Amino acid sequence: MNLPTVKQLRYFVALESHEHFGKAAEACFVSQSAFSTAIRELETILEVQLVDRTNKNVTVTHIGRQIAVEARRCLRDVENLVELARSNHAPLTGELRVGIIPTIAPFLLPRVLPTLRQQFPHLRLYLTEDITQRVYEKLMNGELDLIIIALPYALRNVEILSLFKDRFFLACREDTRHTRPRRHIFNDLNPESILLLEDGHCLRDHTLSACHLQDMDKISRFTASSLLTLTQMVDADLGISYLPEMVKGSTLLTGTNVKIWTLPEESYREVGLAWRRGSAREVEFMQLGEFIKKTWLTLLESQTLTE
């Protein structure tokens, strides 16, 4: 029996996701002609038409959608096979594909990666930065081995290891016209005074929940797509906001007049690792989590001593 190859299945899954030959080929790091040939070969092997082709559009057929679901399962099984083989090697060696969200990546990675490279020189990290929902989807599709996210977040069929609490601080200009941070007076805010990230960023939801922001009239209709933009808006005194503790000591506030202030009540999000349930590398992932936790807490302690 002539069976599909892993490469053909991977290419088709990419095509089903992108619905565009050029974009899917680019995502697979292969020429479009080679990509198209592989898809046609897969159709010949399976004796079905997977996609309808026109000059401008690609439409995955009904049977193509069903096959894409099964192809993802096959690829996950192959991934598990590889993971099982790797688990027999020394821990934290070889390739590790990690997804991380943009409200964590620029603050955690520069402080953890140098020490990680020293302690585990044979570990090859491939990093993907994206919002939580997309890195989770890539994890479940087998494109990633592990994700670093903020909690709580609704996830299914994964194991989660909480690493540390990331407290929220009030962020505003010291001379802001919106509140009096030294006295912790927040009830006198004008309407639309609180600036947040746009929908899709879990930090927005975590801020609303952890900081008990229940008066939606105080939330600005203007949003930011990144913490950098949000900080610039606060620096222009367009409003006040809430930033996670990990921005302290980073370059985010450099060159601005933005100050951060502790909140009257402890408000925080959790930073954690997540991986597919049943992964053969679970012990390895937990070892990595303990390393990150220890490294981060040591950095926080040293930062506190210098303040």
Side-chain angles (χ1 to χ4, degrees):
M1 180 184 296
N2 194 11
L3 298 176
T5 66
V6 171
K7 180 177 70 175
Q8 290 168 341
L9 295 179
R10 194 178 297 279
Y11 285 4
F12 179 58
V13 165
L15 181 60
E16 194 266 345
S17 297
H18 292 278
E19 295 191 336
H20 189 280
F21 272 90
K23 293 178 180 178
E26 183 179 353
C28 294
F29 304 101
V30 67
S31 68
Q32 186 169 336
S33 60
F35 185 91
S36 298
T37 299
I39 297 299
R40 290 190 183 278
E41 290 173 348
L42 180 61
E43 289 181 315
T44 300
I45 292 170
L46 298 178
E47 299 181 349
V48 295
Q49 185 170 342
L50 299 173
V51 293
D52 293 325
R53 302 166 175 84
T54 66
N55 290 334
K56 295 183 178 180
N57 299 316
V58 173
T59 302
V60 180
T61 62
H62 178 68
I63 186 63
R65 297 286 184 192
Q66 292 178 300
I67 289 174
V69 172
E70 295 301 323
R72 286 189 171 89
R73 289 177 182 167
C74 291
L75 291 172
R76 281 200 296 270
D77 287 341
V78 173
E79 293 281 346
N80 289 336
L81 184 150
V82 174
E83 286 184 359
L84 180 61
R86 286 176 178 168
S87 66
N88 193 46
H89 299 164
L92 295 176
T93 59
E95 180 180 309
L96 183 63
R97 298 163 301 169
V98 180
I100 185 167
I101 62 175
T103 58
I104 292 178
F107 312 110
L108 180 68
L109 294 180
R111 297 166 178 173
V112 170
L113 287 185
T115 309
L116 183 65
R117 291 193 189 101
Q118 290 177 4
Q119 188 155 337
F120 303 101
H122 300 295
L123 178 65
R124 299 193 306 276
L125 278 181
Y126 295 87
L127 299 169
T128 296
E129 183 180 307
D130 211 333
I131 62 174
T132 306
Q133 184 59 35
R134 287 200 281 265
V135 294
Y136 169 62
E137 289 172 356
K138 290 178 180 179
L139 174 70
M140 301 312 293
N141 288 339
E143 297 176 55
L144 296 172
D145 303 309
L146 184 72
I147 56 177
I148 302 176
I149 58 173
L151 304 168
Y153 194 89
L155 301 171
R156 297 178 60 189
N157 299 317
V158 299
E159 298 292 342
I160 296 175
L161 175 65
S162 178
L163 300 179
F164 54 85
K165 294 179 180 179
D166 189 27
R167 295 181 299 161
F168 282 103
F169 287 74
L170 174 71
C172 61
R173 288 180 61 103
E174 193 164 8
D175 58 350
T176 182
R177 59 189 173 85
H178 296 284
T179 189
R180 288 171 283 176
R182 289 187 184 279
R183 300 180 185 178
H184 301 307
I185 298 176
F186 311 113
N187 295 327
D188 59 348
L189 286 171
N190 295 325
E192 297 198 28
S193 293
I194 300 175
L195 301 165
L196 298 174
L197 291 180
E198 63 188 4
D199 287 333
H201 287 274
C202 58
L203 184 62
R204 177 187 178 91
D205 296 329
H206 289 155
T207 304
L208 288 169
S209 176
C211 299
H212 310 292
L213 304 180
Q214 299 176 347
D215 187 352
M216 299 308 294
D217 290 337
K218 300 291 179 68
I219 309 300
S220 175
R221 66 183 184 278
F222 298 106
T223 60
S225 60
S226 68
L227 282 177
L228 177 60
T229 302
L230 183 66
T231 302
Q232 295 301 317
M233 293 168 72
V234 173
D235 191 37
D237 205 25
L238 300 179
I240 63 102
S241 192
Y242 299 85
L243 295 177
E245 183 176 21
M246 57 173 50
V247 308
K248 293 175 65 177
S250 73
T251 59
L252 182 68
L253 304 181
T254 303
T256 73
N257 292 308
V258 177
K259 306 295 181 183
I260 57 176
W261 315 86
T262 56
L263 296 173
E265 299 180 7
E266 186 178 12
S267 304
Y268 62 89
R269 62 177 183 171
E270 287 187 71
V271 175
L273 301 183
W275 57 87
R276 291 185 299 277
R277 186 169 294 158
S279 172
R281 303 178 74 182
E282 180 171 328
V283 173
E284 191 176 6
F285 296 156
M286 294 185 70
Q287 182 179 352
L288 176 62
E290 291 301 321
F291 171 84
I292 294 174
K293 182 190 302 186
K294 181 179 178 181
T295 303
W296 183 256
L297 293 179
T298 300
L299 287 169
L300 281 186
E301 290 173 3
S302 63
Q303 182 175 288
T304 302
L305 291 175
T306 57
E307 289 179 349

